[in-house]
């Protein structure tokens, strides 16, 4: 289910010069905010939770997921080079699964690691806030990667759709409309953070069992459907 050649090509596409610059900007901004808050406000558990959840989980992680998830396959479909990959004796589900692994690895590296460092800068992991938000970033990275990889497979406007979901649905509607929060990867991951972190510091509108089921369901269904769409794309190309 994992092909090293496909993985190498995908890493090269995702970590291209333009995307790599965007991937470094967001974590650097989180760390800069963490340093500034610590210098100006000192160590405060609630402030640390607000920064990590409000910027880290709500903005940084989904945007990195958009960049990595859509970048894992979107450019190949756009420029037509996917046809050469599909001509190789590699099963379509293997291609999707390999690209998903790459997208997850990149998203985790550029979101969870800075989240952990920022948490220790903000309050030294007081109340387990740094660990809680890092775990949330890790599980959110999996769901976001699968979701945005699917978007990259089915639409040439995957980046725009992903940005609308991340910035409009999760950030804007999620903060204004209670019902929208139940259909948010951010809220599902926050449910795990709430269980790990200190009481009352992190909160989610979704219960933990439902959050785990939804995270797993979205990941599995999105990965499966992306494989099916790639199979159809392969057949169309062969015809």
């Amino acid at each position: 289910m994992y092909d090293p050649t496909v993985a190498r090509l995908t890493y090269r596409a995702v970590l291209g010069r333009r995307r790599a610059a965007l991937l470094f900007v967001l974590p650097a901004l989180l760390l800069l905010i963490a340093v500034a808050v610590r210098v100006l406000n000192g160590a405060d558990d609630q402030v640390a939770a607000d920064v990590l959840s409000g910027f880290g989980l709500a903005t940084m992680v989904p945007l990195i997921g958009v960049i990595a998830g859509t970048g894992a396959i979107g450019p190949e479909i756009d420029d037509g080079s996917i046809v050469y990959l599909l001509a190789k004796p590699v099963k379509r589900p293997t291609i999707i699964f390999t690209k998903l692994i790459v997208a997850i690895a990149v998203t985790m590296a550029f979101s969870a690691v800075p989240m952990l460092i920022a948490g220790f800068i903000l309050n030294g992991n007081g109340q387990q806030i740094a660990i809680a938000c890092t775990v949330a970033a890790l599980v959110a990275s999996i769901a976001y990667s699968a979701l945005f990889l699917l978007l990259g497979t089915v639409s040439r406007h995957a980046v725009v759709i992903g940005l609308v979901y991340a910035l409009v649905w999760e950030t804007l509607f999620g903060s204004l409309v209670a019902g929208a929060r139940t259909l948010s990867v951010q809220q599902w991951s926050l449910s795990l953070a709430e269980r790990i972190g200190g009481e009352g510091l992190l909160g989610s509108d979704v219960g933990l069992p439902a959050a785990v089921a939804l995270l797993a369901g979205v990941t599995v269904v999105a990965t499966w459907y992306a494989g099916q769409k790639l199979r159809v794309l392969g057949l169309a190309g062969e015809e």
Side-chain angles (χ1 to χ4, degrees):
M1 292 297 292
Y2 181 85
D3 188 278
T5 301
V6 174
R8 185 174 64 254
L9 294 173
T10 305
Y11 275 116
R12 187 180 302 171
V14 174
L15 298 176
R17 183 176 302 176
R18 182 180 302 176
R19 284 188 173 82
L22 293 173
L23 287 171
F24 278 104
V25 166
L26 290 165
L29 183 57
L30 174 63
L31 295 175
L32 181 62
I33 292 172
V35 170
V37 170
R38 180 61 185 268
V39 170
L40 297 175
N41 194 71
D44 185 294
D45 294 341
Q46 188 59 64
V47 171
D50 292 342
V51 170
L52 294 181
S53 62
F55 179 78
L57 291 175
T59 303
M60 183 187 72
V61 180
L63 289 181
I64 290 176
V66 170
I67 297 169
T70 60
I73 196 169
E76 292 175 305
I77 293 178
D78 290 342
D79 62 19
S81 61
I82 189 69
V83 174
Y84 299 99
L85 181 59
L86 296 176
K88 302 296 182 181
V90 182
K91 295 181 180 179
R92 308 296 190 263
T94 298
I95 294 174
I96 288 295
F97 184 76
T98 301
K99 288 181 174 295
L100 175 62
I101 294 299
V102 172
I104 290 173
V106 171
T107 306
M108 285 182 173
F110 284 90
S111 61
V113 174
M115 187 81 74
L116 182 64
I117 297 172
F120 274 93
I121 291 173
L122 285 164
N123 74 333
N125 194 37
Q127 300 291 320
Q128 295 291 305
I129 292 172
I131 298 298
C133 289
T134 299
V135 170
L138 289 171
V139 297
S141 296
I142 299 173
Y144 281 130
S145 296
L147 185 62
F148 295 133
L149 178 64
L150 171 61
L151 283 177
T153 306
V154 302
S155 174
R156 291 181 178 272
H157 307 290
V159 174
V160 175
I161 297 173
L163 289 175
V164 169
Y165 173 80
L167 297 178
V168 178
W169 179 265
E170 292 213 339
T171 304
L172 180 60
F173 281 98
S175 63
L176 299 175
V177 183
R181 289 194 286 269
T182 62
L183 298 177
S184 166
V185 174
Q186 174 199 347
Q187 289 295 317
W188 303 342
S189 62
L190 270 173
S191 182
L192 290 170
E194 181 182 20
R195 179 62 61 91
I196 298 170
E199 185 176 356
L201 295 173
L202 296 162
S204 171
D205 289 356
V206 183
L208 183 59
V212 172
L214 288 167
L215 285 166
V218 165
T219 302
V220 171
V221 172
T223 304
W224 171 82
Y225 192 60
Q228 296 303 306
K229 294 300 293 184
L230 192 64
R231 190 188 304 274
V232 174
L233 178 65
L235 291 174
E238 290 164 2
E239 292 174 358

